[in-house]
Amino acid sequence: MQQVTVIGAGTMGNGIAHVFAQSGYKVSLVDVSGPALEKALATIGKNLDRMVAKEKITEADKTNTLGNITTYTSLAEGAKGSQLIVEAATENIDLKLKIFKQMDEVADANAILASNTSSISITKLGSVTQRPDKVIGMHFMNPVPVMQLVEVIRGYATTDDVTATIMDLSKKLGKIPTEVNDFPGFVANRILMPMINEAIISLQEGVAGVYEIDTVMKLGMAHPMGPLQLADFIGLDVCLAILRVLHDGLGNPKYAPSPLLVNMVTAGKLGAKSGEGFYSYTAGSKELVVAPSFNKK
Ligand code: NAD
């Protein structure tokens, strides 16, 4: 495999393009939004600069990595010649079904179609293609260049060969792949999202403030950050979409999203990417500018 297409140049797509390009693959990065593509290249450049400064890579590695990435606004153009397409567009089932149908039409006959979805059924995505045996989940973690895990999700029809190819490929990217089956939320989000939701319900019920909830979980459970800050980094809209998939797919009321989370997303408070969630952020960064935006008792 030499050439890979990444669809969606947002938070995850730019990271996925980065790691493939840094490992020597030619990457076609596709987004419907031109500005999103420009922003993605700038982000990758900044992240590479940080690695050069830390002497993890050389200036030449940076130039080669950026040289491996070509951007497209057309999926048909961007899919040409790739042996793997990794879809990392917005977490919305109708959108992803549309993209998978299109990917199937324009991709090389033998290309593997992967999704970075956090929770949407891989079997369902495969069902709208003529190649469900070659459809698989390749769930990278955020931030992609830093996090080691790739949750590899086998759809109902995914073959052993395709799974083995994606497991090997993930190792070539320097990641540690873990194989799981296709059930709502897979493993990562089936366990993580109920914890985040419970933290939001605790806040909503006044059990404690933002700072206190995050401090208990951070220091008490040795988590690198609290669940509310993590929710801000993931994106509150993404958290809500995943909880809805868990709630619908598993049919258990324990997965119902907290009304406070629904309200915040409706009000456009999406976390770090919108500048405000449970904390406030300098525009477009993950730097906290104020302590908790919710009352501290
Ligand atoms: P994002 O909102 O940052 O980026 C999504 C990008 O998709 C945007 O740039 C948008 O313009 C683009 N897009 C929308 N429709 C498109 C189309 N038809 N063709 C091409 N591009 C299109 O979202 P994100 O956080 O990067 O999430 C992407 C995927 O990764 C989702 O499935 C999400 O569940 C998953 N994911 C997210 C995280 C996280 O921490 N944010 C972690 C793991 C997995």
Side-chain angles (χ1 to χ4, degrees):
M1 196 172 292
Q2 283 156 349
Q3 188 185 313
V4 172
T5 297
V6 178
I7 299 179
T11 311
M12 296 303 289
N14 81 63
I16 297 168
H18 174 154
V19 296
F20 273 108
Q22 201 181 322
S23 298
Y25 295 88
K26 296 282 175 207
V27 178
S28 303
L29 180 58
V30 180
D31 202 292
V32 280
S33 153
L37 288 166
E38 277 167 35
K39 194 172 162 214
L41 288 181
T43 302
I44 296 168
K46 240 189 290 165
N47 289 338
L48 288 167
D49 280 340
R50 206 171 303 132
M51 293 172 90
V52 172
K54 287 184 181 163
E55 295 183 355
K56 286 188 176 168
I57 61 169
T58 63
E59 195 64 47
D61 294 330
K62 177 191 160 186
T63 308
N64 290 337
T65 300
L66 288 173
N68 281 339
I69 303 174
T70 311
T71 58
Y72 297 87
T73 48
S74 149
L75 173 53
E77 287 296 310
K80 266 187 211 155
S82 286
Q83 292 89 42
L84 168 69
I85 304 188
V86 184
E87 173 277 320
T90 315
E91 185 79 346
N92 173 303
I93 179 127
D94 294 333
L95 175 71
K96 287 198 194 278
L97 290 174
K98 201 176 109 203
I99 293 176
F100 264 76
K101 218 163 174 301
Q102 221 181 332
M103 277 158 65
D104 188 39
E105 285 160 13
V106 299
D108 288 3
N110 289 322
I112 295 174
L113 310 182
S115 178
N116 184 55
T117 179
S118 303
S119 60
I120 292 169
S121 165
I122 299 303
T123 309
K124 180 129 189 150
L125 296 177
S127 74
V128 297
T129 73
Q130 301 301 313
R131 58 179 106 188
D133 53 317
K134 295 189 184 67
V135 173
I136 193 162
M138 200 174 183
H139 184 203
F140 291 87
M141 303 291 133
N142 184 14
V144 183
V146 177
M147 297 290 280
Q148 282 193 304
L149 179 70
V150 179
E151 194 180 26
V152 174
I153 303 118
R154 287 185 75 125
Y156 192 82
T158 314
T159 60
D160 289 344
D161 272 3
V162 167
T163 308
T165 303
I166 295 301
M167 294 288 287
D168 285 349
L169 178 63
S170 303
K171 287 178 197 157
K172 286 186 188 134
L173 299 177
K175 303 295 182 194
I176 299 175
T178 303
E179 188 184 320
V180 309
N181 289 314
D182 184 23
F183 287 92
F186 321 128
V187 170
N189 283 306
R190 181 155 177 175
I191 296 173
L192 175 64
M193 284 302 152
M195 183 186 75
I196 286 178
N197 200 35
E198 202 58 39
I200 302 171
I201 293 168
S202 302
L203 177 69
Q204 179 187 289
E205 290 180 357
V207 178
V210 170
Y211 172 81
E212 288 76 9
I213 290 170
D214 273 359
T215 303
V216 168
M217 296 305 289
K218 195 172 152 181
L219 302 185
M221 316 301 152
H223 290 184
M225 71 180 77
L228 299 173
Q229 190 176 2
L230 179 57
D232 273 359
F233 286 2
I234 293 170
L236 300 192
D237 51 339
V238 177
C239 294
L240 179 59
I242 298 170
L243 279 162
R244 288 201 160 127
V245 169
L246 290 175
H247 192 212
D248 291 349
L250 297 164
N252 187 327
K254 76 176 178 179
Y255 298 109
S258 133
L260 174 59
L261 174 64
V262 175
N263 269 352
M264 289 176 76
V265 173
T266 307
K269 311 293 182 200
L270 307 182
K273 66 182 162 191
S274 74
E276 194 180 331
F278 296 104
Y279 300 86
S280 297
Y281 301 84
T282 313
S285 87
K286 287 182 176 169
E287 225 143 281
L288 304 188
V289 283
V290 295
S293 50
F294 281 79
N295 43 327
K296 234 175 103 182
K297 287 196 179 144

